[in-house]
Amino acid sequence: MDGIHLLGELYGCPADNPALTQAAVLREVCIDAVNASGLTIVGDRFYQFEPQGVTGTVLLAESHVAIHTWPEAGFVTVDVYVCNYTTDNTGKAERVFNALEVALKPKRKRLQAIHRGGKDG
């Protein structure tokens, strides 16, 4: 299936940012980012690690958003995948990633965009 898969690594995120340390806060950030993009949420699950760190997923009708935080290292991984079955959702995926970047405030990032599927796939 044709789609875009954004794989991001965020470095130098402030360790005291509640979105890195609190599952409820990160969930709200992710849900807000997805809703603002126009993608369709069908479920979500976030888990709080002790003493710190969060992992979470937002299931989309179009595919998923996955995020993992390491506050002690100021590091976050972000995975946004959307399929483009009936419409091109690339811009929506990019808006989700950008909103998460704004909320997590990294000093630098690494982003890979992988085009998946296609007519010949």
Side-chain angles (χ1 to χ4, degrees):
M1 183 55 50
D2 184 41
I4 186 78
H5 201 156
L6 303 177
L7 301 172
E9 297 171 359
L10 306 179
Y11 300 91
C13 299
D16 60 348
N17 182 339
L20 265 73
T21 61
Q22 299 174 26
V25 175
L26 184 58
R27 179 185 179 275
E28 183 176 344
V29 166
C30 290
I31 297 293
D32 289 350
V34 170
N35 283 333
S37 77
L39 293 168
T40 308
I41 296 171
V42 297
D44 70 89
R45 178 79 168 130
F46 284 77
Y47 180 79
Q48 178 75 55
F49 290 102
E50 294 299 333
Q52 58 191 351
V54 178
T55 189
T57 59
V58 180
L59 301 176
L60 307 174
E62 301 83 3
S63 197
H64 70 268
V65 175
I67 191 164
H68 313 281
T69 74
W70 290 265
E72 69 279 12
F75 181 63
V76 177
T77 61
V78 178
D79 176 358
V80 181
Y81 175 54
V82 295
C83 58
N84 295 325
Y85 184 63
T86 59
T87 187
D88 185 353
N89 290 307
T90 300
K92 293 176 182 179
E94 291 168 344
R95 285 193 291 278
V96 170
F97 185 88
N98 291 339
L100 295 174
E101 182 181 357
V102 167
L104 297 167
K105 302 174 177 65
K107 291 184 180 168
R108 68 182 181 89
K109 72 176 177 184
R110 180 171 181 251
L111 176 63
Q112 298 176 64
I114 299 168
H115 297 276
R116 298 181 65 179
K119 292 179 177 65
D120 297 333

